[in-house]
Amino acid sequence: MTRTRLFVWGTWLALTTGAWWYVAVHASQIPFGDDWNDVPQITGALPVTLEWLWLAEYGWREFLPKLGFIGAARMTGGDLAVLRY
């Protein structure tokens, strides 16, 4: 059982490390797609309001994802490369 756990955790660690490396090397700082819709709130040009959080985009209301995205953007200083993946 110990070798099995070691294999599983080792595989998980290797894949997680690989994913972080891929993002660090290949992610872009330039917004694309619907990231542009959130740039004014990320930069602070427009306030984050309940109206904006509840705004339907492309037929979806993304209250919690927008809130999480803005929170993560503020914690990383607006680093879109970190937020995208």
Coordinates of all heavy atoms in Angstrom, one line a residue:
M1 N 0.8 -1.2 0.0 CA 0.0 0.0 0.0 C 0.9 1.3 0.0 O 0.5 2.3 -0.6 CB -0.9 0.0 1.2 CG -1.9 1.1 1.2 SD -3.2 0.9 0.0 CE -4.6 0.8 1.0
T2 N 2.0 1.2 0.6 CA 2.9 2.4 0.7 C 3.4 2.8 -0.7 O 3.5 4.0 -1.0 CB 4.0 2.1 1.7 OG1 3.5 1.8 3.0 CG2 4.9 3.4 1.8
R3 N 3.8 1.8 -1.5 CA 4.3 2.1 -2.8 C 3.2 2.7 -3.7 O 3.5 3.5 -4.5 CB 5.0 0.8 -3.4 CG 6.3 0.5 -2.8 CD 7.0 -0.5 -3.6 NE 6.3 -1.8 -3.7 CZ 6.8 -2.9 -4.2 NH1 8.0 -2.9 -4.8 NH2 6.1 -4.0 -4.2
T4 N 2.0 2.2 -3.5 CA 0.9 2.7 -4.3 C 0.7 4.2 -3.9 O 0.5 5.0 -4.9 CB -0.4 1.9 -4.0 OG1 -0.1 0.5 -4.3 CG2 -1.5 2.4 -4.8
R5 N 0.7 4.5 -2.7 CA 0.5 5.9 -2.3 C 1.6 6.8 -2.8 O 1.4 7.9 -3.2 CB 0.4 6.0 -0.8 CG -0.9 5.5 -0.2 CD -1.0 5.8 1.3 NE -2.3 5.3 1.7 CZ -2.7 5.4 3.0 NH1 -2.0 6.0 3.9 NH2 -3.9 4.9 3.3
L6 N 2.8 6.3 -2.7 CA 4.0 7.0 -3.2 C 3.9 7.3 -4.7 O 4.1 8.4 -5.1 CB 5.3 6.3 -2.8 CG 6.6 7.0 -3.2 CD1 6.7 8.3 -2.5 CD2 7.7 6.0 -2.9
F7 N 3.4 6.3 -5.4 CA 3.3 6.4 -6.8 C 2.2 7.5 -7.2 O 2.4 8.3 -8.0 CB 2.9 5.1 -7.5 CG 2.6 5.2 -8.9 CD1 3.6 5.4 -9.9 CD2 1.2 5.2 -9.4 CE1 3.2 5.5 -11.2 CE2 0.9 5.3 -10.7 CZ 1.9 5.4 -11.6
V8 N 1.0 7.4 -6.5 CA -0.1 8.3 -6.7 C 0.3 9.7 -6.4 O 0.1 10.6 -7.2 CB -1.3 7.8 -6.0 CG1 -2.4 8.9 -6.0 CG2 -1.9 6.5 -6.5
W9 N 0.9 9.9 -5.2 CA 1.3 11.3 -4.8 C 2.4 11.8 -5.7 O 2.5 13.0 -6.0 CB 1.6 11.3 -3.3 CG 0.4 11.3 -2.5 CD1 -0.1 10.3 -1.7 CD2 -0.5 12.4 -2.3 NE1 -1.2 10.7 -1.1 CE2 -1.5 12.0 -1.4 CE3 -0.6 13.7 -2.8 CZ2 -2.6 12.8 -1.0 CZ3 -1.6 14.5 -2.4 CH2 -2.6 14.0 -1.5
G10 N 3.4 10.9 -6.0 CA 4.4 11.4 -6.9 C 4.0 11.8 -8.3 O 4.4 12.8 -8.8
T11 N 3.0 11.0 -8.8 CA 2.4 11.3 -10.1 C 1.7 12.7 -10.0 O 1.8 13.5 -10.9 CB 1.5 10.2 -10.6 OG1 2.2 9.0 -10.7 CG2 0.8 10.6 -11.9
W12 N 0.9 12.8 -9.0 CA 0.1 14.1 -8.8 C 1.1 15.3 -8.7 O 0.9 16.3 -9.3 CB -0.7 14.0 -7.5 CG -1.4 15.3 -7.2 CD1 -2.6 15.7 -7.7 CD2 -0.9 16.3 -6.3 NE1 -2.9 17.0 -7.2 CE2 -1.9 17.4 -6.3 CE3 0.2 16.4 -5.5 CZ2 -1.7 18.5 -5.6 CZ3 0.3 17.6 -4.7 CH2 -0.6 18.6 -4.8
L13 N 2.2 15.1 -7.9 CA 3.1 16.2 -7.8 C 3.8 16.5 -9.1 O 4.0 17.7 -9.4 CB 4.2 15.8 -6.7 CG 5.3 16.9 -6.4 CD1 4.6 18.2 -5.9 CD2 6.3 16.3 -5.5
A14 N 4.2 15.5 -9.8 CA 4.8 15.8 -11.1 C 3.9 16.5 -12.1 O 4.3 17.4 -12.8 CB 5.3 14.4 -11.7
L15 N 2.6 16.0 -12.2 CA 1.7 16.7 -13.1 C 1.3 18.1 -12.7 O 1.2 19.0 -13.5 CB 0.4 15.8 -13.2 CG 0.6 14.5 -13.9 CD1 -0.7 13.7 -13.8 CD2 1.0 14.7 -15.3
T16 N 1.2 18.3 -11.4 CA 0.9 19.7 -10.9 C 2.1 20.6 -11.2 O 1.9 21.8 -11.6 CB 0.6 19.7 -9.4 OG1 -0.5 18.8 -9.2 CG2 0.3 21.0 -8.8
T17 N 3.3 20.1 -10.9 CA 4.5 20.9 -11.2 C 4.6 21.2 -12.7 O 4.9 22.4 -13.1 CB 5.8 20.2 -10.7 OG1 5.6 19.9 -9.3 CG2 7.0 21.0 -11.0
G18 N 4.3 20.3 -13.5 CA 4.3 20.5 -15.0 C 3.3 21.5 -15.4 O 3.5 22.3 -16.3
A19 N 2.1 21.5 -14.8 CA 1.0 22.4 -15.2 C 1.5 23.8 -14.8 O 1.3 24.8 -15.6 CB -0.3 22.1 -14.5
W20 N 2.0 24.0 -13.6 CA 2.5 25.3 -13.2 C 3.6 25.8 -14.1 O 3.7 27.0 -14.4 CB 3.0 25.3 -11.7 CG 1.8 25.4 -10.8 CD1 1.3 24.4 -10.1 CD2 1.1 26.5 -10.4 NE1 0.2 24.8 -9.3 CE2 0.1 26.1 -9.5 CE3 1.1 27.9 -10.8 CZ2 -0.9 27.0 -9.0 CZ3 0.2 28.8 -10.3 CH2 -0.8 28.3 -9.4
W21 N 4.5 24.9 -14.5 CA 5.6 25.3 -15.3 C 5.1 25.8 -16.7 O 5.5 26.8 -17.2 CB 6.6 24.1 -15.6 CG 7.6 24.4 -16.6 CD1 8.8 25.1 -16.5 CD2 7.5 24.1 -18.0 NE1 9.4 25.2 -17.7 CE2 8.7 24.5 -18.6 CE3 6.6 23.4 -18.7 CZ2 8.9 24.4 -20.0 CZ3 6.8 23.2 -20.1 CH2 8.0 23.7 -20.7
Y22 N 4.1 25.0 -17.2 CA 3.5 25.4 -18.5 C 2.9 26.8 -18.5 O 3.1 27.6 -19.4 CB 2.4 24.3 -18.9 CG 1.8 24.6 -20.3 CD1 2.5 24.1 -21.4 CD2 0.6 25.3 -20.4 CE1 1.9 24.4 -22.7 CE2 0.1 25.5 -21.6 CZ 0.7 25.1 -22.8 OH 0.2 25.3 -24.0
V23 N 2.2 27.1 -17.4 CA 1.5 28.4 -17.3 C 2.6 29.5 -17.2 O 2.5 30.5 -17.8 CB 0.6 28.4 -16.1 CG1 0.1 29.8 -15.8 CG2 -0.6 27.5 -16.3
A24 N 3.6 29.2 -16.4 CA 4.7 30.2 -16.2 C 5.4 30.5 -17.5 O 5.8 31.6 -17.8 CB 5.7 29.7 -15.2
V25 N 5.6 29.5 -18.4 CA 6.3 29.7 -19.6 C 5.4 30.3 -20.8 O 5.8 31.1 -21.5 CB 7.0 28.4 -20.1 CG1 7.6 28.5 -21.5 CG2 8.0 28.0 -19.1
H26 N 4.2 29.8 -20.9 CA 3.4 30.0 -22.0 C 2.2 31.0 -21.8 O 1.6 31.4 -22.8 CB 2.8 28.7 -22.6 CG 3.9 27.8 -23.1 ND1 4.6 28.0 -24.2 CD2 4.3 26.6 -22.5 CE1 5.5 27.0 -24.3 NE2 5.3 26.2 -23.4
A27 N 1.9 31.4 -20.6 CA 0.7 32.3 -20.4 C 1.1 33.7 -20.9 O 2.2 34.1 -20.8 CB 0.3 32.3 -19.0
S28 N 0.0 34.4 -21.3 CA 0.2 35.8 -21.8 C -0.4 36.8 -20.8 O -1.4 36.5 -20.2 CB -0.5 35.9 -23.1 OG -0.5 37.2 -23.6
Q29 N 0.2 37.9 -20.8 CA -0.3 39.0 -19.9 C -1.4 39.8 -20.6 O -2.0 40.7 -20.0 CB 0.9 40.0 -19.6 CG 1.8 39.4 -18.6 CD 1.2 39.3 -17.2 OE1 0.3 40.0 -16.8 NE2 1.7 38.3 -16.5
I30 N -1.6 39.5 -21.9 CA -2.6 40.3 -22.7 C -3.9 39.6 -22.6 O -4.0 38.4 -22.9 CB -2.1 40.4 -24.2 CG1 -0.8 41.0 -24.3 CG2 -3.2 41.1 -25.0 CD1 -0.1 41.0 -25.6
P31 N -5.0 40.3 -22.2 CA -6.3 39.7 -22.1 C -6.8 39.3 -23.5 O -6.4 39.9 -24.5 CB -7.2 40.9 -21.6 CG -6.3 41.9 -21.1 CD -5.0 41.7 -21.8
F32 N -7.6 38.2 -23.5 CA -8.2 37.8 -24.7 C -9.6 37.4 -24.5 O -10.0 37.0 -23.3 CB -7.4 36.7 -25.4 CG -7.4 35.4 -24.7 CD1 -8.4 34.4 -25.0 CD2 -6.5 35.1 -23.7 CE1 -8.4 33.2 -24.4 CE2 -6.5 33.9 -23.1 CZ -7.4 32.9 -23.4
G33 N -10.4 37.4 -25.5 CA -11.8 37.0 -25.4 C -12.6 37.9 -24.4 O -12.5 39.1 -24.5
D34 N -13.4 37.2 -23.6 CA -14.2 38.0 -22.7 C -13.4 38.5 -21.4 O -14.0 39.1 -20.6 CB -15.4 37.2 -22.2 CG -15.1 35.9 -21.5 OD1 -13.9 35.5 -21.5 OD2 -16.0 35.3 -21.0
D35 N -12.1 38.3 -21.4 CA -11.3 38.9 -20.3 C -11.4 40.4 -20.4 O -11.3 41.1 -19.4 CB -9.8 38.5 -20.4 CG -9.6 37.1 -20.0 OD1 -10.4 36.5 -19.4 OD2 -8.5 36.6 -20.4
W36 N -11.6 40.9 -21.7 CA -11.6 42.4 -21.9 C -12.8 43.0 -21.1 O -12.8 44.2 -20.8 CB -11.7 42.7 -23.3 CG -10.4 42.5 -24.0 CD1 -10.0 41.5 -24.8 CD2 -9.2 43.4 -23.9 NE1 -8.7 41.6 -25.2 CE2 -8.2 42.8 -24.7 CE3 -8.9 44.5 -23.2 CZ2 -6.9 43.3 -24.8 CZ3 -7.7 45.1 -23.3 CH2 -6.7 44.5 -24.1
N37 N -13.9 42.2 -20.9 CA -15.1 42.8 -20.2 C -14.8 43.1 -18.8 O -15.4 44.0 -18.2 CB -16.2 41.8 -20.3 CG -16.7 41.5 -21.7 OD1 -16.4 42.2 -22.6 ND2 -17.3 40.3 -21.9
D38 N -13.8 42.5 -18.2 CA -13.5 42.7 -16.8 C -12.3 43.6 -16.5 O -12.0 43.9 -15.4 CB -13.2 41.3 -16.1 CG -14.3 40.3 -16.3 OD1 -15.5 40.8 -16.3 OD2 -14.1 39.1 -16.4
V39 N -11.6 44.1 -17.6 CA -10.4 44.9 -17.4 C -10.8 46.2 -16.6 O -10.0 46.6 -15.7 CB -9.8 45.2 -18.8 CG1 -8.8 46.3 -18.6 CG2 -9.2 44.0 -19.3
P40 N -11.9 46.9 -16.9 CA -12.1 48.1 -16.1 C -12.3 47.9 -14.6 O -11.8 48.7 -13.8 CB -13.5 48.6 -16.7 CG -13.5 48.1 -18.0 CD -12.9 46.7 -18.0
Q41 N -12.8 46.7 -14.2 CA -13.0 46.4 -12.8 C -11.6 46.0 -12.2 O -11.3 46.2 -11.1 CB -14.0 45.3 -12.6 CG -15.5 45.8 -12.7 CD -15.9 46.1 -14.1 OE1 -15.4 45.6 -15.0 NE2 -17.0 46.9 -14.2
I42 N -10.8 45.2 -13.0 CA -9.5 44.8 -12.5 C -8.6 46.0 -12.3 O -7.9 46.1 -11.3 CB -8.9 43.8 -13.5 CG1 -9.6 42.5 -13.5 CG2 -7.4 43.6 -13.2 CD1 -9.2 41.6 -14.6
T43 N -8.6 47.0 -13.2 CA -7.8 48.1 -13.1 C -8.3 49.2 -12.1 O -7.5 50.1 -11.7 CB -7.6 48.8 -14.4 OG1 -8.9 49.2 -14.9 CG2 -6.9 47.9 -15.4
G44 N -9.5 49.1 -11.7 CA -10.1 50.0 -10.8 C -10.7 51.2 -11.5 O -11.2 52.1 -10.8
A45 N -10.8 51.2 -12.8 CA -11.4 52.3 -13.5 C -12.9 52.4 -13.3 O -13.5 53.4 -13.3 CB -11.1 52.2 -15.0
L46 N -13.5 51.2 -13.1 CA -14.9 51.1 -12.7 C -15.0 50.4 -11.4 O -14.3 49.4 -11.2 CB -15.7 50.4 -13.8 CG -15.9 51.2 -15.1 CD1 -16.6 50.3 -16.1 CD2 -16.6 52.5 -14.9
P47 N -16.0 50.7 -10.6 CA -16.2 50.0 -9.3 C -16.8 48.6 -9.5 O -17.5 48.4 -10.5 CB -17.1 50.9 -8.5 CG -17.9 51.6 -9.5 CD -17.0 51.8 -10.7
V48 N -16.5 47.7 -8.6 CA -17.2 46.4 -8.6 C -18.5 46.6 -7.9 O -18.5 46.8 -6.7 CB -16.3 45.3 -8.0 CG1 -17.0 44.0 -7.9 CG2 -15.0 45.2 -8.7
T49 N -19.6 46.5 -8.6 CA -20.9 46.7 -8.0 C -21.7 45.4 -8.1 O -21.4 44.5 -8.9 CB -21.7 47.8 -8.7 OG1 -21.9 47.5 -10.1 CG2 -20.9 49.2 -8.6
L50 N -22.8 45.3 -7.3 CA -23.7 44.2 -7.5 C -24.3 44.1 -8.8 O -24.6 43.1 -9.4 CB -24.8 44.2 -6.4 CG -24.3 43.9 -5.0 CD1 -25.5 44.1 -4.0 CD2 -23.8 42.5 -4.9
E51 N -24.6 45.3 -9.4 CA -25.2 45.3 -10.8 C -24.3 44.7 -11.8 O -24.7 43.9 -12.6 CB -25.5 46.8 -11.1 CG -26.1 46.9 -12.5 CD -26.3 48.4 -12.9 OE1 -26.1 49.3 -12.1 OE2 -26.7 48.6 -14.1
W52 N -23.0 45.0 -11.7 CA -22.0 44.5 -12.6 C -21.8 43.0 -12.4 O -21.7 42.2 -13.3 CB -20.7 45.2 -12.5 CG -19.6 44.5 -13.3 CD1 -19.5 44.6 -14.7 CD2 -18.6 43.6 -12.9 NE1 -18.4 43.9 -15.1 CE2 -17.8 43.3 -14.0 CE3 -18.2 43.2 -11.6 CZ2 -16.8 42.4 -13.9 CZ3 -17.1 42.3 -11.6 CH2 -16.4 41.9 -12.7
L53 N -21.8 42.6 -11.1 CA -21.6 41.2 -10.8 C -22.8 40.3 -11.3 O -22.6 39.2 -11.7 CB -21.5 41.0 -9.3 CG -20.1 41.4 -8.7 CD1 -20.2 41.4 -7.2 CD2 -19.0 40.5 -9.1
W54 N -24.0 40.9 -11.3 CA -25.2 40.2 -11.7 C -25.5 40.3 -13.2 O -26.4 39.7 -13.7 CB -26.4 40.6 -10.9 CG -27.5 39.7 -11.0 CD1 -28.7 40.0 -11.6 CD2 -27.6 38.4 -10.5 NE1 -29.6 38.9 -11.5 CE2 -28.9 37.9 -10.9 CE3 -26.8 37.5 -9.9 CZ2 -29.4 36.6 -10.6 CZ3 -27.2 36.2 -9.6 CH2 -28.5 35.8 -9.9
L55 N -24.7 41.1 -13.9 CA -24.9 41.4 -15.3 C -24.8 40.1 -16.1 O -23.8 39.3 -16.0 CB -23.9 42.4 -15.8 CG -24.0 42.8 -17.3 CD1 -25.3 43.5 -17.6 CD2 -22.8 43.6 -17.6
A56 N -25.8 39.8 -17.0 CA -25.7 38.6 -17.8 C -24.8 38.8 -19.0 O -25.0 39.8 -19.7 CB -27.1 38.2 -18.3
E57 N -23.8 38.0 -19.2 CA -22.9 38.0 -20.3 C -23.1 36.7 -21.1 O -22.9 35.7 -20.5 CB -21.5 38.3 -19.9 CG -21.3 39.6 -19.3 CD -19.8 39.8 -18.9 OE1 -19.0 39.1 -19.3 OE2 -19.6 40.8 -18.1
Y58 N -23.4 36.8 -22.4 CA -23.5 35.6 -23.2 C -24.5 34.6 -22.6 O -24.4 33.4 -22.7 CB -22.1 34.9 -23.4 CG -21.0 35.8 -23.8 CD1 -20.0 36.2 -23.0 CD2 -21.0 36.3 -25.1 CE1 -19.0 37.1 -23.4 CE2 -20.0 37.2 -25.5 CZ -19.0 37.6 -24.7 OH -18.1 38.4 -25.1
G59 N -25.6 35.2 -22.0 CA -26.6 34.3 -21.5 C -26.4 33.7 -20.1 O -27.2 32.9 -19.6
W60 N -25.3 34.1 -19.5 CA -24.9 33.5 -18.2 C -24.8 34.6 -17.2 O -24.3 35.7 -17.5 CB -23.6 32.8 -18.2 CG -23.6 31.6 -19.1 CD1 -23.3 31.6 -20.5 CD2 -23.9 30.3 -18.8 NE1 -23.4 30.4 -21.0 CE2 -23.8 29.5 -20.0 CE3 -24.4 29.7 -17.6 CZ2 -24.1 28.2 -20.0 CZ3 -24.6 28.3 -17.7 CH2 -24.5 27.6 -18.8
R61 N -25.2 34.4 -15.9 CA -24.9 35.3 -14.8 C -23.9 34.6 -14.0 O -24.1 33.6 -13.4 CB -26.2 35.5 -14.0 CG -27.3 36.1 -14.8 CD -28.4 36.6 -13.8 NE -29.6 37.0 -14.6 CZ -29.7 38.2 -15.1 NH1 -28.7 39.1 -15.0 NH2 -30.8 38.6 -15.8
E62 N -22.7 35.2 -13.9 CA -21.5 34.6 -13.3 C -21.1 35.4 -12.1 O -20.0 35.9 -11.9 CB -20.4 34.6 -14.3 CG -20.7 33.8 -15.5 CD -19.6 33.8 -16.5 OE1 -18.9 34.9 -16.6 OE2 -19.3 32.8 -17.2
F63 N -22.0 35.5 -11.1 CA -21.8 36.3 -9.9 C -20.5 35.8 -9.1 O -19.6 36.6 -8.9 CB -23.0 36.2 -9.0 CG -22.9 37.0 -7.7 CD1 -23.3 38.3 -7.8 CD2 -22.5 36.5 -6.5 CE1 -23.2 39.1 -6.6 CE2 -22.4 37.2 -5.4 CZ -22.8 38.6 -5.4
L64 N -20.5 34.5 -8.7 CA -19.4 34.0 -8.0 C -18.1 33.9 -8.8 O -17.0 34.3 -8.3 CB -19.7 32.7 -7.3 CG -20.7 32.8 -6.2 CD1 -21.1 31.4 -5.7 CD2 -20.2 33.6 -5.1
P65 N -18.1 33.5 -10.0 CA -16.9 33.5 -10.8 C -16.3 34.9 -11.0 O -15.1 35.0 -10.9 CB -17.3 32.9 -12.2 CG -18.4 32.0 -11.8 CD -19.2 32.7 -10.8
K66 N -17.1 35.9 -11.3 CA -16.6 37.2 -11.4 C -16.0 37.7 -10.1 O -14.9 38.3 -10.1 CB -17.7 38.2 -11.8 CG -18.1 38.1 -13.2 CD -19.2 39.2 -13.5 CE -19.6 39.2 -14.9 NZ -20.7 40.2 -15.2
L67 N -16.7 37.4 -9.0 CA -16.2 37.9 -7.7 C -14.9 37.2 -7.4 O -13.9 37.8 -6.9 CB -17.2 37.5 -6.6 CG -17.1 38.2 -5.3 CD1 -17.2 39.7 -5.4 CD2 -18.2 37.7 -4.4
G68 N -14.7 35.9 -7.7 CA -13.5 35.2 -7.5 C -12.4 35.7 -8.4 O -11.2 35.9 -8.0
F69 N -12.7 36.0 -9.6 CA -11.8 36.5 -10.6 C -11.2 37.9 -10.2 O -10.0 38.1 -10.2 CB -12.4 36.7 -12.0 CG -11.5 37.0 -13.1 CD1 -10.6 36.1 -13.6 CD2 -11.6 38.3 -13.7 CE1 -9.8 36.4 -14.6 CE2 -10.7 38.6 -14.7 CZ -9.8 37.7 -15.2
I70 N -12.1 38.8 -9.7 CA -11.7 40.1 -9.3 C -10.8 40.0 -8.0 O -9.8 40.6 -7.8 CB -12.9 41.0 -9.0 CG1 -13.6 41.3 -10.3 CG2 -12.5 42.3 -8.3 CD1 -12.7 42.0 -11.4
G71 N -11.2 39.1 -7.1 CA -10.5 38.9 -5.9 C -9.1 38.4 -6.2 O -8.1 38.8 -5.6
A72 N -9.0 37.4 -7.1 CA -7.7 36.8 -7.5 C -6.8 37.9 -8.2 O -5.6 37.9 -8.0 CB -7.9 35.6 -8.3
A73 N -7.5 38.7 -9.0 CA -6.8 39.7 -9.8 C -6.2 40.7 -8.8 O -5.0 41.2 -9.0 CB -7.7 40.4 -10.7
R74 N -6.9 41.1 -7.8 CA -6.4 42.0 -6.8 C -5.2 41.4 -6.0 O -4.3 42.1 -5.6 CB -7.5 42.6 -5.9 CG -8.4 43.4 -6.8 CD -9.2 44.4 -6.0 NE -10.0 45.2 -6.9 CZ -11.1 45.8 -6.5 NH1 -11.6 45.6 -5.3 NH2 -11.8 46.5 -7.4
M75 N -5.3 40.1 -5.7 CA -4.3 39.5 -4.9 C -3.0 39.3 -5.7 O -1.9 39.3 -5.1 CB -4.8 38.1 -4.4 CG -5.8 38.2 -3.3 SD -6.2 36.6 -2.5 CE -6.1 35.4 -3.8
T76 N -3.1 39.2 -7.0 CA -1.9 39.0 -7.9 C -1.5 40.3 -8.5 O -0.6 40.2 -9.4 CB -2.2 37.9 -8.9 OG1 -3.3 38.4 -9.8 CG2 -2.5 36.6 -8.3
G77 N -2.1 41.4 -8.2 CA -1.8 42.6 -8.9 C -2.2 42.7 -10.3 O -1.6 43.4 -11.1
G78 N -3.3 42.0 -10.7 CA -3.8 42.0 -12.0 C -3.1 41.1 -13.0 O -3.1 41.3 -14.2
D79 N -2.3 40.2 -12.5 CA -1.6 39.2 -13.4 C -2.5 38.3 -14.1 O -2.9 37.3 -13.5 CB -0.5 38.5 -12.5 CG 0.4 37.7 -13.4 OD1 0.2 37.7 -14.6 OD2 1.3 37.0 -12.8
L80 N -2.9 38.6 -15.3 CA -3.8 37.7 -16.0 C -3.3 36.4 -16.4 O -4.0 35.4 -16.6 CB -4.3 38.4 -17.3 CG -5.2 39.7 -17.1 CD1 -5.5 40.4 -18.4 CD2 -6.4 39.4 -16.3
A81 N -2.0 36.3 -16.5 CA -1.4 35.0 -16.8 C -1.7 34.0 -15.6 O -1.9 32.8 -15.9 CB 0.1 35.1 -17.0
V82 N -1.7 34.4 -14.4 CA -2.0 33.6 -13.3 C -3.5 33.2 -13.3 O -3.9 32.1 -13.0 CB -1.5 34.2 -12.0 CG1 -2.0 33.4 -10.8 CG2 -0.1 34.4 -11.9
L83 N -4.3 34.2 -13.6 CA -5.7 34.0 -13.5 C -6.3 33.1 -14.5 O -7.4 32.5 -14.4 CB -6.4 35.4 -13.5 CG -6.0 36.4 -12.4 CD1 -6.6 37.7 -12.7 CD2 -6.3 35.8 -11.1
R84 N -5.7 33.0 -15.7 CA -6.3 32.4 -16.8 C -6.4 30.9 -16.6 O -7.2 30.2 -17.1 CB -5.5 32.7 -18.1 CG -6.3 32.3 -19.3 CD -5.7 33.0 -20.5 NE -6.0 34.4 -20.5 CZ -5.1 35.4 -20.6 NH1 -3.8 35.1 -20.7 NH2 -5.4 36.6 -20.6
Y85 N -5.4 30.3 -15.9 CA -5.4 28.8 -15.8 C -5.7 28.3 -14.4 O -5.4 28.8 -13.5 CB -4.0 28.3 -16.3 CG -3.8 28.6 -17.7 CD1 -3.1 29.7 -18.1 CD2 -4.4 27.8 -18.7 CE1 -2.9 30.0 -19.5 CE2 -4.2 28.1 -20.0 CZ -3.5 29.1 -20.4 OH -3.3 29.4 -21.7

